[in-house]
């Protein structure tokens, strides 16, 4: 409907009536738990835990949702009730959506060869909430993942269905500042280096492993002591996303956010600049530069190098 979204007790009662109804029924994982997907996941996450390799390997627990995903196709197990709920919110003006958080509980490890089944339920629909994005409703689904009928884990996923707030900016309004980085005792040295236009990578003095982001100890050997090496500034786009929505103050979408693999072998998340957002590609060479955004803030970004 047009205009202000419908807000009254009758409408919210209609939403609440969907609580407890199935969101996905008798779902089956598209593939068994398998070593190639575990390997790809670990490579993407930089996780070298030996528990995920070898003849007795288990899957990383945080992959729980991955085994239930349907890919780019529509999920055949998704129920009419869930579609009706989302349609009701769309029709009432709450047509925008953003994922807000998820919670997972692990009851038993998953191993290569396990066949996954799952069911989802609409666990809760909140009362109307006022958020910075706009007024809306939080919808929480709970997915129970099973192997051979045994519960292996639970995944709760929460979205906000909202009516986008319209905030026209006054012509004389000051420009929004970029968010400030969180600086603590573990990463202060990194930001001190950025202020000097140096991108510093930690190096374990026990085993020599380079690590980023900065951590208080070595993931490889557990040694607490470290020094730093300065990155050369050369790298490639390992992965990227293009941000279109929701809009954030001080950012002008669309823009590209890249996972940059530095020549030294570690990865860093930063903006890819200097090329149109739709020209960014995996494998694109990039070069480090430092940009000043205000009197206080300097950030490392990566200039795309076109061939």
């Amino acid at each position: 409907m047009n205009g202000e979204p419908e807000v009254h007790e009758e409408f919210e009662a209609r939403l609440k009536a969907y609580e407890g109804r199935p969101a996905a029924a008798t779902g089956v994982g598209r593939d068994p738990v398998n070593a190639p997907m575990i390997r790809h996941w670990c490579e993407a996450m930089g996780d070298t835990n030996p528990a995920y390799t070898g003849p007795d390997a288990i899957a990383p627990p945080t992959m729980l949702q991955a085994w239930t995903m349907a890919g780019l196709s529509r999920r055949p197990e998704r129920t009419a009730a869930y579609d009706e709920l989302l349609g009701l919110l769309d029709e009432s003006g709450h047509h925008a959506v953003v994922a807000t958080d998820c919670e997972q509980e692990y009851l038993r490890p998953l191993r290569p060869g396990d066949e996954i089944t799952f069911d989802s339920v609409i666990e809760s629909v909140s009362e109307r909430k006022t958020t910075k994005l706009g007024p809306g409703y939080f919808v929480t689904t709970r997915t129970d993942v099973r192997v051979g009928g045994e519960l292996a884990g639970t995944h709760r996923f929460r979205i906000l269905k909202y009516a986008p707030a319209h905030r026209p900016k006054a012509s004389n309004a000051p420009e929004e500042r970029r968010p400030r980085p969180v600086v603590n005792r573990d990463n202060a040295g990194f930001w001190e280096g950025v202020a000097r236009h140096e991108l510093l990578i930690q190096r374990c003095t026990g085993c020599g492993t380079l690590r980023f982001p900065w951590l208080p100890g070595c993931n490889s050997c557990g040694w607490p002591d470290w020094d730093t090496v300065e990155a050369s500034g050369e790298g490639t786009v390992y992965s990227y996303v293009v941000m279109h929505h929701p809009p954030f103050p001080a950012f002008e979408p669309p823009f590209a956010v890249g996972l940059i693999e530095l020549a030294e072998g570690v990865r860093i998340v930063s903006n890819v600049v200097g090329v149109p957002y739709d020209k960014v590609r995996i494998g694109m060479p990039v070069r480090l530069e430092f940009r000043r955004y205000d009197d206080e803030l300097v950030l490392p970004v990566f200039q795309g190098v076109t061939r």
Side-chain angles (χ1 to χ4, degrees):
M1 64 179 61
N2 296 324
E4 180 67 18
E6 182 181 2
V7 182
H8 52 61
E9 292 182 0
E10 180 184 353
F11 177 68
E12 294 195 352
R14 292 173 66 190
L15 298 180
K16 286 287 186 180
Y18 285 91
E19 292 184 344
R21 297 179 66 179
T26 60
V28 178
R30 294 186 65 178
D31 299 285
V33 177
N34 62 84
M37 285 181 67
I38 293 172
R39 184 180 71 252
H40 295 325
W41 176 281
C42 290
E43 288 178 354
M45 298 298 177
D47 194 335
T48 58
N49 191 318
Y52 308 143
T53 60
D56 298 319
I58 63 172
T62 49
M63 287 188 75
L64 184 67
Q65 186 188 18
W67 307 114
T68 69
M69 289 181 172
L72 299 179
S73 59
R74 187 185 185 281
R75 304 180 66 132
E77 64 277 353
R78 189 158 128 173
T79 64
Y82 191 62
D83 287 337
E84 289 170 9
L85 172 60
L86 299 186
L88 185 60
L89 288 164
D90 287 342
E91 292 167 8
S92 66
H94 304 88
H95 52 80
V97 62
V98 62
T100 61
D101 62 287
C102 68
E103 304 168 9
Q104 293 184 338
E105 182 179 2
Y106 314 116
L107 302 178
R108 57 147 284 188
L110 299 177
R111 294 180 171 84
D114 283 344
E115 299 276 356
I116 296 299
T117 60
F118 59 94
D119 295 278
S120 297
V121 65
I122 302 167
E123 191 169 65
S124 65
V125 183
S126 75
E127 298 176 348
R128 187 171 186 260
K129 303 292 185 181
T130 300
T131 75
K132 198 168 185 180
L133 294 174
Y137 297 85
F138 290 94
V139 178
T140 304
T141 55
R142 187 193 76 241
T143 300
D144 293 331
V145 179
R146 293 180 171 82
V147 177
E150 177 187 0
L151 187 63
T154 297
H155 175 82
R156 282 182 173 85
F157 193 69
R158 189 170 295 110
I159 63 173
L160 172 66
K161 287 283 289 178
Y162 65 97
H166 299 288
R167 300 185 184 90
K169 184 177 178 180
S171 59
N172 59 348
E175 287 192 12
E176 293 278 359
R177 297 200 316 166
R178 284 230 176 182
R180 308 290 99 173
V182 177
V183 180
N184 55 42
R185 65 180 182 180
D186 291 328
N187 67 12
F190 170 76
W191 291 107
E192 290 166 3
V194 168
R196 300 190 300 268
H197 288 199
E198 299 173 355
L199 186 63
L200 300 179
I201 305 169
Q202 281 183 311
R203 177 175 57 190
C204 174
T205 56
C207 66
T209 299
L210 299 180
R211 66 178 185 262
F212 192 90
W214 282 35
L215 296 170
C218 180
N219 273 339
S220 296
C221 72
W223 191 252
D225 298 329
W226 50 271
D227 59 12
T228 62
V229 297
E230 183 178 355
S232 67
E234 303 298 321
T236 57
V237 175
Y238 185 83
S239 183
Y240 70 96
V241 296
V242 175
M243 295 295 297
H244 292 271
H245 190 80
F248 294 96
F251 294 87
E252 295 184 6
F255 57 90
V257 179
L259 178 60
I260 307 302
E261 184 162 83
L262 300 178
E264 291 74 17
V266 298
R267 298 171 191 155
I268 178 174
V269 176
S270 185
N271 288 114
V272 180
V273 301
V275 294
Y277 70 89
D278 57 351
K279 300 299 182 184
V280 177
R281 294 291 184 269
I282 291 173
M284 171 183 281
V286 292
R287 186 174 298 113
L288 171 69
E289 66 176 59
F290 293 90
R291 287 194 176 182
R292 177 171 292 279
Y293 289 91
D294 55 46
D295 291 340
E296 303 172 354
L297 185 63
V298 174
L299 292 175
V301 297
F302 288 86
Q303 176 86 23
V305 179
T306 56
R307 294 173 175 170

